[in-house]
Each structure stands twice: as structure tokens, then as C-alpha cells.
Amino acid sequence: MMERLRLCVTGIVQGVGFRPFVYHLAHKFDLAGWVLNHANGVQIEVEGKPEMLSRFLNALRAEAPPQASIAGVTTEPVAIEGETRFDIKKSVAMSSRSVLVSPDIATCSDCQREIKQAWNRRLFYPFINCTNCGPRYSIIKELPYDRSSTTMSEFTMCSHCQSEYRNPADRRFHAQPNACPACGPSYQLITKSGELVTGDPVAMARQFITNGAILAIKGIGGYHLVCNAEDNQAVTLLRQRKFREDKPFAVMCSDLSTVRRHCNVSKEEERLLAGAVKPIVLLEKGCCYDLAQAIAPGNPYLGVMLPYAPIHWILMESEDIWVMTSGNGCDEPIAYQDDDARNRLAGIADYFLIHNRPIYTRIDDSVARVIRNKPTILRRSRGYAPAPIALSGEGPQVLACGGELKNTFCFTKQKSAFLSPHIGDLENLATLECYAGTIEHYTRLFDTKPEFVVHDMHPDYLSTKYAQMLELPKIAVQHHHAHIASVLAEHGVNESVIGVAFDGTGYGEDGHLWGSEFMVADCSSFTRAAHSRYLTLPGGAKAIQEPWRQAAWMLHELFGNDFIRMDIPLNRNIPENWQLMVEAANKGINSPLACGAGRLFDIAAGILGLRPSIRYEGQAAVDLELAASGARGWLLPYSISEGQVAELDFRPTFAGMAEALQHKVNPGELAASFHLTLATATLEMIERIYQTTGIRKVALSGGVFQNMTLLSHILGMANDRFTVLLNHQVPTNDGGLALGQAAIARERSK
Ligand SMILES: [Zn+2]
Ligand SMILES: [Zn+2]
Ligand SMILES: [Zn+2]
């Protein structure tokens, strides 16, 4: 008695060794038939004994390859054909696409082993890969995922590689980027003026890095700028050439034990560092940390990653630690095309280690950290995008355009949200072009036809302007509502929650700048329950770059011009034009009202005299967190005014800080006190909202929650009284905004 079944498998089932897996399974259970890649997924027909068919079906789900993610399997009985063998058939292209594209996967342990085997024909071959690892998203032009639709189409496999590719027993069976030194891409080392460096490019590159040179290295999703992390001179030079003053650099360590020498690493952090994605993981610097001063000046954390591409495995030797930062100038997108990279990075890199496989789509390194024992993504890119985020229900297809800073966009289709990789800050023309280009690529790749386009309420965001150019119905979403909705979408929560969005500044419904929002919200609407008191931003954007302005204005409000006679750190370095600033703000010149929680950190940092001006977004908060480390602090006064929308007033907090400073209290203690006070006030406000609503579920989001000190205080105090939900799959900063926008638009269009 024989039966035949036709199966259709959907999900991430292409480029992850799925067909070879099916082939092996069919053999194991003595089944005939075929498997093929289909634009909708993978199609299978199997014929054999009923018992074997059902074992096959069970194993299909239970034993799927590690990188595969099955969304669904449909089966239908068909007439038996009396076949005797099982084949992998040629792919079929179709017009409607619902197959998912796999992210790029870090070099697997089998390939890591092979690359160092003396007798292996891929010894030190920087393009080694197999069905379980290698580039996917960055080289794919269109679906279905076959070699001819990738940038590997330019390389013809040699007979050796061909036979692996065709042999069902080989772990490179149908590995699309399969290659070897005889037939595949290769690296070259050239000087910045374009001359070829003779000798082994990898060995020479390694030698130059060790000796203090800066190299541009072409990798999986773009170029990196690389130098020796133990060489302060090289790191300082890289900073100068990149025009990047204080923003921390990430490093790559050759192995976990090297990471442990410099940072504190938990078991969960090790798992994240060494897993299949290999993101940059933010770790606390350890007591023996002694890397170059210029890597992450004044920052308690260090971004660390492990080798993830074959080239890293060949270049690095045990105990190496290299700075490995995106290959771009200040604020530009990462370079990925060779000529462009040579132009843009010529002033930065001494040498270029390049290869001849084109990168079709650029993709940055992802950044993650462990919060409450859970991996939490801070920048979602390589290894994560374009894998979908599961949504709790069906809805119309939408395109959500994201915010302005740390932009990502998001498409939805059925129960999936496809969040783009990190694009960057859209103020830059090159970034804007990358944004539009990536949206087009996503539209083609995922065959999306959005019915709505969603954008931020801010009329001047370039993402808003982009949305307005599209001929689609538009939905505008309030910035902080989108932040909260991003948490709800991730956790599949459909009920109302107490949402707390602590952020820089976002456009509010009353035309002021919001950013310390307490709301009662679900995915369709929100009511603003509270916020911190509006403060004047003296000088607008300038006040954010120069926190002393906000601090001086605050103290002026509290003590009048006499504040300048106080013996506090702020006044020791205050620029002479402070009076002009106060006069202008008194007249209301360029002085918008803002209540961003980030501004509270600016004022506190300003009063403590930590830094008169900042060089990257959120630096004042980083300074304040560092200053607070090791100190316990105490609760400072604050007040809450009741009303339709309650207001938290931190003026008493700042007055308390200034007075304590006059009594020579240590600024570190006050920095700790500020964190504690902000957390306590937040909890009190949550408690009050609970008293009137009975809601015990709390969602926290917004860039300020990247501050671990504040977050741990709040989580500690919320304890068992509240269920606190955080972003884990998408960034809590504006990089996760598009997911929230999409969730809101789907809900509203129902
Ligand atoms: Zn592999
Ligand atoms: Zn070959
Ligand atoms: Zn935001």
C-alpha cells in the first residue's frame, strides 16, 4: 500500500539547507518523489508507505536545520506515480511571493574547523561557507534564492565545488554561495592610492594592523575600518580621520577568553556573543580593562563582537583585539561598493583589503545587550534583518516610514512585520538615498503592495516627507504612541497598558516637543495621563548640544540671576555669553517648550558640570550614568501636580542638587541620586495611574531606557506589583519606531 502527498512549506526555508535536509529525510524513510524551491516556499512530493510518510512529516518540523524557521506546512494527498527515486528539482519562479529571505549567518563551527585544516582545499579561504552559514540577504538580488539570483552568479563553480553542490551527502549540497580558491572570489590588498601590495594579502594586512595602520576591510555587508585596539595612537588617529570625537568604537576579540580579560561577561552574554548572529554586544568594562583610552572614552560599556566572517577567522590570532567600526565618514551610511568605498575612505584608511564579490545590499553590524537575562536588540541589522517579527493577527499590508534618527522602516504582510536593517539618521542625503533604495528592494523582494503608508506626526522628518510623496492613504502616528505600540506588537498584547515613553524629543499633539510620556494606550489609541513639566529649550537645538544652557536656564528659573554666584561645577566653566542666552530665552526667542526625559539628564549633567557640550546624541546621559556608577545616592525632592494630565515637576530635584553641591557633596552621589529620584517619581506616577485605571501591565520604551541604571531601578521597584514589558526584538530607541507605527496603522484601519 503506497500513498503520495504534496506538501508546501512556508517560512525561512530557502538558503538554510532545507532541500538537502528534505532529501536526507526522504532517503531515511525510504520515500520517492522530489523537492523544489518555489517562490512561495518549498514544495515537496513524497511517495511511500503511510507509516513512513507520517514519520517524515513529524521529522520535517522536529529536525529542521538550525537556521530554518517553518511558518506553515500544508499537505494534500495526490495520485501515486510509482517513482523510485527522490530528486531535487530545479526552482520554479512565480509571481506571488511569500517566501522569506534568510539573514546573513555567521561562519558555522564546521566551516571554522575546515578553514584551519592544513590538508583542506579551503585552508585559509575567506569565502568558505555551507548550507548552515554564509551570506544570504547581502548578496540576494531577487527570489527564489538560487545562485543565479545572487552576486555569486559571476563565479562559475569548478568541478570540485560542482560535485559538492550536487552531492546530497555533502554539507555544501545546494549551498548557493559555494566556492573555493580555484573558482570563487578572492581578496587583494591595495594601498590607498590603488597600488597592489605584493605577498599574501591576509598576512600582510594582519602585519599592517599589528604595526599600527588603519585598514578598510570589505566584509559581508560592507566595509569596516580596522586598527589595533591596544594601540592608542592608531585608535586616536582613526578618530581624527573619521571626525568622530567621543562616540565609542566597537571592537572584535579573537575569542571569548580575550573578551573576558577586559569585560564582565555573563553566561547569557556569552551565548549572545557566540551565537549564530554574532552581534556587537554591549558589555560592562571589567576591572582589568586596559584597551586604548580612545576606544570608548568615559563610557562604562564596551561594544564587543566575535569573528563572524571567514576573513575574520583568518586575520585574527588568539588574543587579538581590534577596533572594528563601520566603514563610513561622520554620519554617512556604511560604504559597500568598491569605488565608493575607495573614494570615501581614502582619507581614513592606509590600506584596503578588498574582494571581488559584489555586495548587493549593505548591512551594518547589529548591536545587542542582555537585559533581564534576555537578548535585547539595540540596532537591528546583520543576522536579524530581514527575518520577520511575528504579529499576533492578520491585517492589511502597510509601509511604516519610521522616524528621523536611527531610522528603520517596516512592511507588514499577513502575520509578519519586516523591519528593515538599521538605515541611520535621515538628515544626510546619502542616507536618504539608501532609505529609498532599500524600500524599493524590500518591495520587490517581499512582493509587498501596501494599502496604507504610516508616518510620524512631525512634518519635517524626511521619512514623513517620503510618505507624503507616495500615492497611498496616509496615517500619521504620534511618536511616543508608536514607541509604546512597538512593545505591544512585540509581545502580542491587545489590551490597554500604562505606557511610559522616555525619549529625546518627539512631536506632540499640542505642537510642543514631548518625550516623558505616561499614557494609557493600546494599539489603536492613547490618552496622555501625565508628563514631566514643560521646560524651555533656550536656543532650541543648540540647547541639546550644549547642556549647560538648559542647566543655566533651570537655575535661573529657580534662583534668578544670583545662581551664578553659587559655588557649583556648572558655574566654574560657564561660557561668558550665558546672560545673552538667558535674555533671549526670557524674550522667548528660539525657545520651544519641551518635556523630553533626555532633557532632564542634560540639566542634571549640566549642573554637575560634566561636559559643557555633547558630541553625540545621549552623551550627557552616558556621562551621568558613568558618574553615578559605584555611588548609591538618595531620594531628592520632586512634586506631582494633579490635573486632567498630571505633571511631574523636577525643579525641586535640581534645586536640591545645586544646594548639595554648595555643601561639597560629591557629584557622583548626586548623579546616583538623580537616577534614583527619576525612577521613584516614575514608579509613583505609574502607581497613581494604576489607582484610577486598575491596569497592572506597563510598557516602557524610548531611547532613554537605554540607560541601564534608570531601567534597573524601575524594574527593581516595580517588582511584583506590575508586569513590565520592554522591547527585546526591536530597539527601544527610534530604530523600533516603525514597528509601532505599523501596528497602530493596522489596528486603525480595521
Ligand atoms: Zn558553514
Ligand atoms: Zn571551486
Ligand atoms: Zn523616539
PDB file of all heavy atoms in Angstrom, residues 106-112 128-134 171-172, ligand 1:
ATOM      1  N   ALA A 106      26.538  33.883  10.500  1.00  0.00           N
ATOM      2  CA  ALA A 106      27.959  33.844  10.831  1.00  0.00           C
ATOM      3  C   ALA A 106      28.541  32.461  10.534  1.00  0.00           C
ATOM      4  O   ALA A 106      27.837  31.446  10.604  1.00  0.00           O
ATOM      5  CB  ALA A 106      28.161  34.205  12.300  1.00  0.00           C
ATOM      6  N   THR A 107      29.816  32.418  10.209  1.00  0.00           N
ATOM      7  CA  THR A 107      30.525  31.174   9.892  1.00  0.00           C
ATOM      8  C   THR A 107      30.255  30.105  10.956  1.00  0.00           C
ATOM      9  O   THR A 107      30.429  30.349  12.151  1.00  0.00           O
ATOM     10  CB  THR A 107      32.047  31.443   9.820  1.00  0.00           C
ATOM     11  OG1 THR A 107      32.247  32.562   8.968  1.00  0.00           O
ATOM     12  CG2 THR A 107      32.793  30.244   9.281  1.00  0.00           C
ATOM     13  N   CYS A 108      29.822  28.920  10.504  1.00  0.00           N
ATOM     14  CA  CYS A 108      29.447  27.867  11.454  1.00  0.00           C
ATOM     15  C   CYS A 108      30.695  27.156  11.977  1.00  0.00           C
ATOM     16  O   CYS A 108      31.793  27.335  11.451  1.00  0.00           O
ATOM     17  CB  CYS A 108      28.506  26.878  10.784  1.00  0.00           C
ATOM     18  SG  CYS A 108      29.322  25.816   9.583  1.00  0.00           S
ATOM     19  N   SER A 109      30.523  26.317  12.973  1.00  0.00           N
ATOM     20  CA  SER A 109      31.686  25.683  13.594  1.00  0.00           C
ATOM     21  C   SER A 109      32.363  24.689  12.651  1.00  0.00           C
ATOM     22  O   SER A 109      33.583  24.540  12.676  1.00  0.00           O
ATOM     23  CB  SER A 109      31.284  25.017  14.908  1.00  0.00           C
ATOM     24  OG  SER A 109      30.208  24.154  14.677  1.00  0.00           O
ATOM     25  N   ASP A 110      31.574  24.022  11.775  1.00  0.00           N
ATOM     26  CA  ASP A 110      32.201  23.111  10.818  1.00  0.00           C
ATOM     27  C   ASP A 110      33.137  23.873   9.877  1.00  0.00           C
ATOM     28  O   ASP A 110      34.254  23.433   9.603  1.00  0.00           O
ATOM     29  CB  ASP A 110      31.129  22.400   9.968  1.00  0.00           C
ATOM     30  CG  ASP A 110      30.365  21.370  10.786  1.00  0.00           C
ATOM     31  OD1 ASP A 110      30.945  20.852  11.756  1.00  0.00           O
ATOM     32  OD2 ASP A 110      29.199  21.087  10.445  1.00  0.00           O
ATOM     33  N   CYS A 111      32.671  25.018   9.391  1.00  0.00           N
ATOM     34  CA  CYS A 111      33.494  25.800   8.469  1.00  0.00           C
ATOM     35  C   CYS A 111      34.689  26.415   9.205  1.00  0.00           C
ATOM     36  O   CYS A 111      35.776  26.507   8.652  1.00  0.00           O
ATOM     37  CB  CYS A 111      32.662  26.873   7.776  1.00  0.00           C
ATOM     38  SG  CYS A 111      31.519  26.198   6.550  1.00  0.00           S
ATOM     39  N   GLN A 112      34.492  26.824  10.469  1.00  0.00           N
ATOM     40  CA  GLN A 112      35.612  27.335  11.265  1.00  0.00           C
ATOM     41  C   GLN A 112      36.705  26.272  11.383  1.00  0.00           C
ATOM     42  O   GLN A 112      37.893  26.567  11.353  1.00  0.00           O
ATOM     43  CB  GLN A 112      35.153  27.697  12.677  1.00  0.00           C
ATOM     44  CG  GLN A 112      34.408  29.011  12.790  1.00  0.00           C
ATOM     45  CD  GLN A 112      33.788  29.155  14.166  1.00  0.00           C
ATOM     46  OE1 GLN A 112      34.370  28.764  15.161  1.00  0.00           O
ATOM     47  NE2 GLN A 112      32.598  29.717  14.212  1.00  0.00           N
ATOM     48  N   ILE A 128      34.738  30.618   2.553  1.00  0.00           N
ATOM     49  CA  ILE A 128      34.201  29.315   2.912  1.00  0.00           C
ATOM     50  C   ILE A 128      32.780  29.507   3.447  1.00  0.00           C
ATOM     51  O   ILE A 128      32.480  30.501   4.123  1.00  0.00           O
ATOM     52  CB  ILE A 128      35.107  28.635   3.963  1.00  0.00           C
ATOM     53  CG1 ILE A 128      34.747  27.160   4.127  1.00  0.00           C
ATOM     54  CG2 ILE A 128      35.029  29.349   5.310  1.00  0.00           C
ATOM     55  CD1 ILE A 128      35.780  26.397   4.973  1.00  0.00           C
ATOM     56  N   ASN A 129      31.884  28.591   3.102  1.00  0.00           N
ATOM     57  CA  ASN A 129      30.513  28.620   3.647  1.00  0.00           C
ATOM     58  C   ASN A 129      29.882  27.275   3.383  1.00  0.00           C
ATOM     59  O   ASN A 129      30.460  26.439   2.701  1.00  0.00           O
ATOM     60  CB  ASN A 129      29.683  29.743   3.009  1.00  0.00           C
ATOM     61  CG  ASN A 129      29.389  29.468   1.561  1.00  0.00           C
ATOM     62  OD1 ASN A 129      28.457  28.743   1.217  1.00  0.00           O
ATOM     63  ND2 ASN A 129      30.211  30.006   0.672  1.00  0.00           N
ATOM     64  N   CYS A 130      28.716  27.061   3.946  1.00  0.00           N
ATOM     65  CA  CYS A 130      27.992  25.815   3.690  1.00  0.00           C
ATOM     66  C   CYS A 130      26.502  26.101   3.814  1.00  0.00           C
ATOM     67  O   CYS A 130      26.107  27.259   3.925  1.00  0.00           O
ATOM     68  CB  CYS A 130      28.433  24.734   4.679  1.00  0.00           C
ATOM     69  SG  CYS A 130      27.906  25.045   6.368  1.00  0.00           S
ATOM     70  N   THR A 131      25.684  25.047   3.822  1.00  0.00           N
ATOM     71  CA  THR A 131      24.242  25.320   3.886  1.00  0.00           C
ATOM     72  C   THR A 131      23.827  25.896   5.233  1.00  0.00           C
ATOM     73  O   THR A 131      22.745  26.445   5.362  1.00  0.00           O
ATOM     74  CB  THR A 131      23.417  24.042   3.623  1.00  0.00           C
ATOM     75  OG1 THR A 131      24.014  22.981   4.351  1.00  0.00           O
ATOM     76  CG2 THR A 131      23.368  23.710   2.167  1.00  0.00           C
ATOM     77  N   ASN A 132      24.675  25.792   6.239  1.00  0.00           N
ATOM     78  CA  ASN A 132      24.314  26.336   7.548  1.00  0.00           C
ATOM     79  C   ASN A 132      24.879  27.732   7.820  1.00  0.00           C
ATOM     80  O   ASN A 132      24.652  28.281   8.890  1.00  0.00           O
ATOM     81  CB  ASN A 132      24.784  25.408   8.657  1.00  0.00           C
ATOM     82  CG  ASN A 132      23.921  24.168   8.716  1.00  0.00           C
ATOM     83  OD1 ASN A 132      22.715  24.247   8.505  1.00  0.00           O
ATOM     84  ND2 ASN A 132      24.541  23.035   8.958  1.00  0.00           N
ATOM     85  N   CYS A 133      25.676  28.260   6.915  1.00  0.00           N
ATOM     86  CA  CYS A 133      26.267  29.573   7.191  1.00  0.00           C
ATOM     87  C   CYS A 133      26.598  30.305   5.908  1.00  0.00           C
ATOM     88  O   CYS A 133      26.550  29.735   4.830  1.00  0.00           O
ATOM     89  CB  CYS A 133      27.517  29.416   8.061  1.00  0.00           C
ATOM     90  SG  CYS A 133      28.959  28.782   7.181  1.00  0.00           S
ATOM     91  N   GLY A 134      26.950  31.579   6.069  1.00  0.00           N
ATOM     92  CA  GLY A 134      27.369  32.379   4.928  1.00  0.00           C
ATOM     93  C   GLY A 134      26.422  33.516   4.634  1.00  0.00           C
ATOM     94  O   GLY A 134      25.412  33.684   5.312  1.00  0.00           O
ATOM     95  N   ARG A 171      27.831  18.513   2.898  1.00  0.00           N
ATOM     96  CA  ARG A 171      27.196  19.623   3.620  1.00  0.00           C
ATOM     97  C   ARG A 171      27.182  20.916   2.804  1.00  0.00           C
ATOM     98  O   ARG A 171      26.715  21.949   3.271  1.00  0.00           O
ATOM     99  CB  ARG A 171      27.817  19.816   4.999  1.00  0.00           C
ATOM    100  CG  ARG A 171      29.244  20.177   5.048  1.00  0.00           C
ATOM    101  CD  ARG A 171      29.757  20.195   6.485  1.00  0.00           C
ATOM    102  NE  ARG A 171      31.075  20.803   6.505  1.00  0.00           N
ATOM    103  CZ  ARG A 171      31.264  22.108   6.593  1.00  0.00           C
ATOM    104  NH1 ARG A 171      30.241  22.909   6.740  1.00  0.00           N
ATOM    105  NH2 ARG A 171      32.478  22.606   6.562  1.00  0.00           N
ATOM    106  N   ARG A 172      27.653  20.847   1.563  1.00  0.00           N
ATOM    107  CA  ARG A 172      27.540  22.010   0.667  1.00  0.00           C
ATOM    108  C   ARG A 172      26.544  21.747  -0.461  1.00  0.00           C
ATOM    109  O   ARG A 172      26.510  22.463  -1.459  1.00  0.00           O
ATOM    110  CB  ARG A 172      28.912  22.364   0.112  1.00  0.00           C
ATOM    111  CG  ARG A 172      29.842  22.808   1.209  1.00  0.00           C
ATOM    112  CD  ARG A 172      31.063  23.530   0.720  1.00  0.00           C
ATOM    113  NE  ARG A 172      31.732  24.136   1.860  1.00  0.00           N
ATOM    114  CZ  ARG A 172      32.551  23.472   2.672  1.00  0.00           C
ATOM    115  NH1 ARG A 172      32.804  22.205   2.458  1.00  0.00           N
ATOM    116  NH2 ARG A 172      33.105  24.088   3.696  1.00  0.00           N
TER     117      ARG A 172
HETATM  118 ZN    ZN B   1      29.333  26.535   7.464  1.00  0.00          ZN
END
